[in-house]
Amino acid sequence: VKVFVEAGGLGFNVTSPFKQKAHTLVDVLDPSAAQCGAVNTVVVRNNKLVGYNTDGAGLILDLTKNLNLNLNTKKILLIGAGGAAKGVLPYLIQEQSKNLVVVNRTLKKAEQMISGYNNSALSACNFEDLIDQQFDLVINATSSSLDQVDLPLPSTLFADGAMSYDMVYSQTETHFMRWSLTMGVKKVSDGLGMLVEQAALAFEIWRGVYPDTKTVLN
């Protein structure tokens, strides 16, 4: 980063697994990044690094604009408690869903992630607690698809008409998407739309212009 800025670089994106490290690197935090503890977009202003997080807003745009979901009627499960999950959690909370549950292998990490939010619809659990729970939207914010690893999720996880969303993107169905399809889910999506929308938001921060994302997705 130092070499890039010294060479005249004015802004850049940060991807997994460096978003939490970027949070500690920058000089100034925009509220979008301060709240969630992860940075994915950096702009150089007055020789200082200013950190933003456009992931959460990008996810919401993809779910509501591109996939036509009304999130405030949904019971949502967010899988994971790392930088990707931290980046999107406050934006999911803002959508005022019926319930928002964060599940993680280490329960303490999930509890720490939600501890700063005063929201009665928000809770944390471990995978064993998902038995007998069903969700309208399940979002995978882990790297399980990159590692081709099955998550310890019950087969009864999805409610009728549920959607499965993997924040990882791929030219073919991701590992998590394939698992969801075997569970009978009809609507699955990878994170390509989120990638495009968060990039458009970053472009707007750098250039002051929000690109037409539909043409990019097409």
Side-chain angles (χ1 to χ4, degrees), residues 175-196:
H175 187 77
F176 185 72
M177 289 167 67
R178 288 194 298 273
W179 174 82
S180 301
L181 289 167
T182 64
M183 295 297 107
V185 178
K186 299 289 191 295
K187 292 182 282 188
V188 297
S189 178
D190 70 358
L192 181 66
M194 175 182 171
L195 172 76
V196 170

Side-chain angles (χ1 to χ4, degrees), residues 1-45:
V1 167
K2 187 181 177 193
V3 170
F4 175 72
V5 173
E6 285 176 350
L10 297 176
F12 55 92
N13 265 128
V14 181
T15 191
S16 293
F18 303 113
K19 295 175 186 181
Q20 287 167 292
K21 286 186 178 181
H23 185 269
T24 62
L25 172 75
V26 298
D27 304 300
V28 181
L29 287 167
D30 179 77
S32 63
Q35 189 174 24
C36 65
V39 163
N40 81 322
T41 301
V42 179
V43 62
V44 182
R45 290 200 188 107

